[in-house]
Amino acid sequence: MPRAVQYKANSIVYFQGDVAERIYILKSGKVSLNYNDIETGQELHELIQTGEFFGVKSALGRYTREETAVVLSDAQMVVFTVPEFEQLIMQNTRIIMKMLKVFSNQLRRIHKQVRNLISSGKESTDPESGLFRIGQYYHRAKKFPQALYAYRRYLTYYPSGKYADEANRNIPLAEQNAQGSMRSSAPVSAAPAREELSNAAKAYYNAVSLHSQEKYQEALKEFQRIASDKADQEYAAKAAFEIGRCYFALGRYDECIRHLSGMIKTYPKHPDLTDALFYVGSCYEKKDDIPKALGFYKKILTMVREDMPIHRKVKKAIAAMGAAS
Amino acid sequence: MSLDLSMFGRFAQTYQPGDIIFCEYEPGDTFYLIQSGRVQIVKIMDDIEKNVDILQPGEIFGEMAILEEAPRSASAVAIDKVVALEFNRANFEILMKGNPQIALKLLKLFTKRIYDQKRRFMILTLDDIQARVADVFIMLAETQPADDPDVNERIFKTTVDDIAHWAGMSPDKCKQILQHFANQRRIELYEDRIVVKNINDFGRFVQSRRRNQQVE
């Protein structure tokens, strides 16, 4: 049975490096998780909200604790063994969904950090070039059905992308060869039937490609069309953010500020909210309105965790302004 | 784990051997649960197709795309005739509600992936490239615990390219370092395996480098 436990202020629930066996939920009081950023070694603190679980990842995976859990003011929590916890969440998938979201976020972040370290010095690959190069790789390796798959997917997402002409030229070649190889080796089915990409999604990826080719005017027009055509809410919201990026790239700072401010009001939970605020801040900086720029940058710092890339980006921007003034 | 997936039959997709299920860099918002056949996860790096993993029935892949949208970080290719249930974000929640076991499995999978990536990151933060290669062996040793903890010699069925991949350096550079270790008689290089004579010696070496780095 899960049991309620009281902790006095300044006591430790567990130390970093301890063998993990228990999972906790905070009922009242204040608990901080202290850990070192894996990139900088800097010590970070994360306050646990009341009602929040902690110690989950290490206990579920049977790893040692990554952080020290310190009680800041007298606290009450409920302690679960792993089987007790599993039993609880199996009856409440909402909790699992919430945790999956948190973990997925962490996973993305660490993936990005690893990628940054590996690609330092080397040119990083944007998804558009990456996808086309996979087609080329399979083509060279004479794996024609696979090459066809990659080329076709490329054209689905980026019909006017920078490699579209080349992909269109390569497809008939690969098709001929694929037919030849079909007779001799394992049967190759047509690309498996799958949900076709919505038109809004196609248009969106195409416009992203235009933006990466620095064709900002054309990209802007496309994004505006997607945003005003409300057929697909998801892509309309994504396009709204991209319009701001286009304005910024075009040096139309006033329009950028106006547009992104509008976006923030329309989509207060937009996934790119903090990036949008950063663009607004940068626009003010470009316009030499330092107090306003600072205001936006500082606002972002209150919204994001210390170990998120945007946090560092903002800190850097603030430091640069301080040095300039 | 027994799962009743009969109600999810309409999500089943069939792939022939060699079919790409999804391709690296492709945007994607679906994930898959293998019902039969094996799936190979590959990445194309430096013009070589690298095997990342081979997955068996009951395993999940493509899971990172469910909650956040980003390009696929690797390709999934059918090895055999594969039947897999395909879920998108919309029916993901239905699946989770009907099958909390899958949700729990996914949660554990995420935990493992996060730890694996963090461990990999630790290797890459080492400035000393020799220590980085040594740390790859330590990581590999952690994932395959020894039968007898008193034996220091460890055998790894791995290639220079794999070690280079984990250590984040070119295969040529990695080969040089491995050759250097071989000259010091700390390792033995074979076609199909690498023998580390004393894994604890590598452990101490990496630890001291890591400490020095923190002092600086």
Side-chain angles (χ1 to χ4, degrees):
Chain A
M1 275 291 284
R3 56 203 170 89
V5 181
Q6 309 278 349
Y7 281 86
K8 286 260 171 252
N10 300 319
S11 58
I12 304 284
V13 185
Y14 54 75
F15 285 98
Q16 186 179 350
D18 280 357
V19 177
E21 281 175 344
R22 300 275 188 265
I23 293 168
Y24 305 81
I25 183 166
L26 184 62
K27 283 288 178 201
S28 64
K30 272 191 181 161
V31 174
S32 163
L33 299 185
N34 300 349
Y35 60 100
N36 298 90
D37 182 273
I38 55 169
E39 201 169 358
T40 60
Q42 191 193 350
E43 194 178 88
L44 300 176
H45 308 270
E46 189 187 330
L47 218 52
I48 297 293
Q49 309 289 321
T50 315
E52 197 180 340
F53 283 98
F54 62 99
V56 177
K57 223 177 345 145
S58 42
L60 272 190
R62 312 271 176 193
Y63 302 101
T64 52
R65 301 287 188 197
E66 290 184 292
E67 70 280 322
T68 298
V70 187
V71 180
L72 300 181
S73 67
D74 289 4
Q76 191 183 28
M77 46 196 100
V78 180
V79 187
F80 295 81
T81 62
V82 173
E84 283 165 358
F85 174 78
E86 286 184 7
Q87 216 179 0
L88 170 81
I89 60 170
M90 296 274 267
Q91 287 152 21
N92 194 340
T93 40
R94 218 170 33 88
I95 304 179
I96 308 189
M97 290 297 292
K98 224 174 143 184
M99 286 184 173
L100 277 175
K101 276 183 192 153
V102 173
F103 286 1
S104 150
N105 249 310
Q106 293 179 1
L107 195 52
R108 278 273 175 234
R109 206 160 54 227
I110 171 97
H111 258 278
K112 215 178 199 168
Q113 284 174 310
V114 167
R115 237 191 351 254
N116 284 347
L117 272 189
I118 295 176
S119 65
S120 59
K122 269 191 258 170
E123 56 167 326
S124 62
T125 312
D126 63 288
E128 184 187 349
S129 314
L131 187 53
F132 181 71
R133 273 189 224 158
I134 296 218
Q136 285 183 309
Y137 166 81
Y138 282 124
H139 204 157
R140 271 197 307 275
K142 302 203 188 318
K143 292 185 162 182
F144 299 110
Q146 288 85 347
L148 273 178
Y149 177 93
Y151 288 145
R152 284 185 180 139
R153 296 307 282 175
Y154 177 86
L155 287 173
T156 307
Y157 294 110
Y158 311 106
S160 47
K162 40 188 161 173
Y163 305 107
D165 290 343
E166 213 174 331
N168 274 316
R169 273 199 306 277
N170 289 352
I171 283 179
L173 296 172
E175 262 172 350
Q176 270 176 8
N177 287 307
Q179 274 164 7
S181 68
M182 251 159 70
R183 255 169 261 123
S184 54
S185 64
V188 175
S189 60
R194 59 168 74 213
E195 271 172 64
E196 252 315 298
L197 211 58
S198 78
N199 286 332
K202 278 188 209 170
Y204 172 79
Y205 288 112
N206 196 40
V208 169
S209 168
L210 288 169
H211 186 282
S212 71
Q213 293 172 65
E214 299 179 10
K215 295 179 183 167
Y216 302 121
Q217 286 288 3
E218 289 166 58
L220 176 61
K221 254 186 226 139
E222 280 294 303
F223 285 128
Q224 281 169 333
R225 213 170 46 75
I226 300 164
S228 60
D229 176 20
K230 301 267 187 215
D232 189 321
Q233 270 303 322
E234 184 184 347
Y235 286 95
K238 282 166 175 279
F241 172 64
E242 296 293 335
I243 289 170
R245 286 182 65 209
C246 287
Y247 279 137
F248 187 80
L250 290 165
R252 290 155 69 173
Y253 302 123
D254 288 323
E255 280 159 292
C256 182
I257 293 169
R258 230 180 2 254
H259 175 80
L260 288 178
S261 307
M263 181 203 103
I264 291 163
K265 281 199 200 90
T266 318
Y267 304 104
K269 287 192 173 161
H270 197 288
D272 298 312
L273 196 66
T274 47
D275 288 286
L277 288 171
F278 186 75
Y279 274 107
V280 175
S282 304
C283 282
Y284 281 117
E285 198 182 333
K286 292 273 184 198
K287 286 157 53 76
D288 282 329
D289 190 341
I290 302 300
K292 275 206 170 143
L294 261 179
F296 277 93
Y297 290 154
K298 286 192 174 149
K299 169 126 181 77
I300 299 170
L301 292 182
T302 65
M303 295 167 65
V304 298
R305 286 181 25 186
E306 283 173 33
D307 57 344
M308 285 167 83
I310 179 96
H311 193 278
R312 252 169 248 151
K313 212 162 103 181
V314 171
K315 282 253 168 183
K316 236 167 126 178
I318 293 176
M321 282 196 310
S325 65
Chain B
M1 187 184 341
S2 66
L3 291 174
D4 179 20
L5 294 168
S6 48
M7 64 182 287
F8 297 107
R10 65 198 158 105
F11 300 133
Q13 299 278 358
T14 306
Y15 301 90
Q16 300 303 325
D19 276 356
I20 296 185
I21 299 168
F22 58 71
C23 184
E24 196 179 341
Y25 297 111
E26 196 182 334
D29 61 356
T30 52
F31 82 106
Y32 301 81
L33 178 71
I34 308 173
Q35 290 208 291
S36 62
R38 290 166 304 157
V39 172
Q40 187 178 26
I41 306 294
V42 295
K43 251 177 113 64
I44 292 170
M45 296 175 80
D46 303 322
D47 245 15
I48 301 165
E49 200 173 351
K50 280 213 171 103
N51 174 39
V52 177
D53 212 348
I54 291 177
L55 303 175
Q56 310 285 338
E59 292 196 85
I60 292 166
F61 64 95
E63 75 285 347
M64 296 212 9
I66 325 161
L67 302 160
E68 286 169 77
E69 197 162 336
R72 304 285 189 186
S73 59
S75 304
V77 184
I79 299 179
D80 316 304
K81 183 179 173 186
V82 168
V83 179
L85 299 179
E86 185 189 57
F87 297 100
N88 61 24
R89 256 175 290 181
N91 51 37
F92 172 63
E93 298 217 27
I94 307 172
L95 170 76
M96 294 298 129
K97 288 206 177 97
N99 281 76
Q101 297 104 308
I102 296 187
L104 184 60
K105 198 169 171 179
L106 206 53
L107 203 60
K108 288 186 173 171
L109 187 70
F110 273 40
T111 327
K112 183 178 177 329
R113 299 256 157 105
I114 292 170
Y115 269 82
D116 288 350
Q117 284 294 319
K118 279 200 178 152
R119 183 64 185 89
R120 181 153 188 223
F121 190 88
M122 293 306 290
I123 295 174
L124 297 170
T125 54
L126 282 161
D127 295 333
D128 183 308
I129 50 175
Q130 288 187 9
R132 238 192 268 169
V133 172
D135 202 20
V136 171
F137 288 111
I138 296 165
M139 177 190 73
L140 293 173
E142 285 162 1
T143 56
Q144 46 184 85
D147 300 330
D148 182 353
D150 293 332
V151 178
N152 287 326
E153 186 175 287
R154 291 298 192 85
I155 300 165
F156 300 102
K157 287 200 164 45
T158 179
T159 62
V160 176
D161 280 2
D162 285 331
I163 305 281
H165 166 64
W166 290 113
M169 60 181 70
S170 72
D172 283 344
K173 187 90 229 159
C174 184
K175 212 175 272 174
Q176 277 175 24
I177 293 170
L178 288 172
Q179 200 55 56
H180 174 74
F181 282 149
N183 293 341
Q184 293 179 325
R185 297 183 191 282
R186 289 165 113 168
I187 64 168
E188 285 166 12
L189 290 164
Y190 299 95
E191 274 289 295
D192 63 333
R193 65 189 194 279
I194 297 172
V195 178
V196 173
K197 304 301 284 181
N198 185 342
I199 193 77
N200 295 330
D201 161 58
F202 268 4
R204 285 187 292 271
F205 172 57
V206 171
Q207 259 179 20
S208 76
R209 288 303 150 101
R210 199 161 259 143
R211 256 198 312 271
N212 290 344
Q213 211 170 304
Q214 277 163 3
V215 172
E216 277 163 21

